[in-house]
CSV table of all heavy atoms in Angstrom, one decimal:
chain,number,residue,atom,x,y,z
A,560,GLU,N,182.4,131.1,129.0
A,560,GLU,CA,183.1,132.3,128.4
A,560,GLU,C,182.7,132.6,127.0
A,560,GLU,O,182.5,133.7,126.7
A,560,GLU,CB,184.6,132.0,128.5
A,560,GLU,CG,185.2,132.1,129.9
A,560,GLU,CD,186.7,132.1,130.0
A,560,GLU,OE1,187.3,132.5,129.0
A,560,GLU,OE2,187.2,131.6,131.0
A,561,LYS,N,182.5,131.6,126.2
A,561,LYS,CA,181.9,131.8,124.9
A,561,LYS,C,180.5,131.4,124.9
A,561,LYS,O,180.1,130.2,125.2
A,561,LYS,CB,182.7,130.9,123.9
A,561,LYS,CG,184.1,131.4,123.7
A,561,LYS,CD,184.8,130.6,122.6
A,561,LYS,CE,186.2,131.1,122.3
A,561,LYS,NZ,186.8,130.5,121.2
A,562,THR,N,179.6,132.3,124.6
A,562,THR,CA,178.2,132.1,124.7
A,562,THR,C,177.5,131.7,123.5
A,562,THR,O,176.3,131.4,123.5
A,562,THR,CB,177.5,133.4,125.2
A,562,THR,OG1,177.7,134.5,124.3
A,562,THR,CG2,178.0,133.8,126.6
A,563,GLU,N,178.2,131.5,122.4
A,563,GLU,CA,177.6,131.2,121.1
A,563,GLU,C,177.0,129.8,121.1
A,563,GLU,O,176.2,129.4,120.3
A,563,GLU,CB,178.6,131.4,119.9
A,563,GLU,CG,179.7,130.4,120.0
A,563,GLU,CD,181.1,131.1,119.9
A,563,GLU,OE1,181.1,132.3,120.1
A,563,GLU,OE2,182.0,130.4,119.6
A,564,HIS,N,177.4,128.9,122.1
A,564,HIS,CA,177.0,127.6,122.1
A,564,HIS,C,175.8,127.4,123.2
A,564,HIS,O,175.4,126.2,123.5
A,564,HIS,CB,178.1,126.6,122.4
A,564,HIS,CG,179.2,126.7,121.4
A,564,HIS,ND1,179.0,126.2,120.1
A,564,HIS,CD2,180.4,127.2,121.4
A,564,HIS,CE1,180.1,126.4,119.4
A,564,HIS,NE2,181.0,127.0,120.2
A,565,LEU,N,175.3,128.5,123.7
A,565,LEU,CA,174.2,128.3,124.7
A,565,LEU,C,173.0,127.8,124.0
A,565,LEU,O,172.2,127.1,124.6
A,565,LEU,CB,173.8,129.7,125.3
A,565,LEU,CG,174.7,130.2,126.4
A,565,LEU,CD1,174.2,131.6,126.9
A,565,LEU,CD2,174.7,129.2,127.6
A,566,ILE,N,172.8,128.1,122.7
A,566,ILE,CA,171.6,127.7,122.0
A,566,ILE,C,172.1,126.9,120.7
A,566,ILE,O,172.9,127.4,120.0
A,566,ILE,CB,170.8,128.9,121.5
A,566,ILE,CG1,170.3,129.7,122.7
A,566,ILE,CG2,169.6,128.4,120.7
A,566,ILE,CD1,169.6,131.0,122.3
A,567,VAL,N,171.6,125.7,120.6
A,567,VAL,CA,171.9,125.0,119.4
A,567,VAL,C,170.8,125.3,118.4
A,567,VAL,O,169.7,124.8,118.5
A,567,VAL,CB,172.0,123.4,119.7
A,567,VAL,CG1,172.3,122.7,118.4
A,567,VAL,CG2,173.0,123.2,120.8
A,568,VAL,N,171.1,126.1,117.4
A,568,VAL,CA,170.1,126.6,116.5
A,568,VAL,C,169.3,125.5,115.7
A,568,VAL,O,168.1,125.6,115.6
A,568,VAL,CB,170.7,127.6,115.5
A,568,VAL,CG1,169.7,128.1,114.5
A,568,VAL,CG2,171.3,128.8,116.3
A,569,ASP,N,170.1,124.5,115.3
A,569,ASP,CA,169.4,123.4,114.5
A,569,ASP,C,168.4,122.6,115.3
A,569,ASP,O,167.4,122.2,114.8
A,569,ASP,CB,170.5,122.4,114.0
A,569,ASP,CG,171.5,123.1,113.0
A,569,ASP,OD1,171.1,124.1,112.4
A,569,ASP,OD2,172.6,122.5,112.8
A,570,ASP,N,168.6,122.5,116.6
A,570,ASP,CA,167.8,121.6,117.4
A,570,ASP,C,166.7,122.4,118.2
A,570,ASP,O,165.7,121.9,118.6
A,570,ASP,CB,168.6,120.8,118.4
A,570,ASP,CG,169.5,119.8,117.7
A,570,ASP,OD1,169.3,119.5,116.6
A,570,ASP,OD2,170.5,119.4,118.4
A,571,GLN,N,167.0,123.6,118.6
A,571,GLN,CA,166.2,124.3,119.6
A,571,GLN,C,165.3,125.4,119.0
A,571,GLN,O,164.4,125.8,119.7
A,571,GLN,CB,167.1,125.0,120.7
A,571,GLN,CG,167.8,123.9,121.5
A,571,GLN,CD,168.7,124.5,122.5
A,571,GLN,OE1,169.5,125.4,122.2
A,571,GLN,NE2,168.6,124.1,123.7
Side-chain angles (χ1 to χ4, degrees):
E560 287 188 28
K561 292 186 176 184
T562 58
E563 66 234 18
H564 300 292
L565 280 178
I566 301 170
V567 181
V568 177
D569 296 340
D570 296 340
Q571 294 176 309

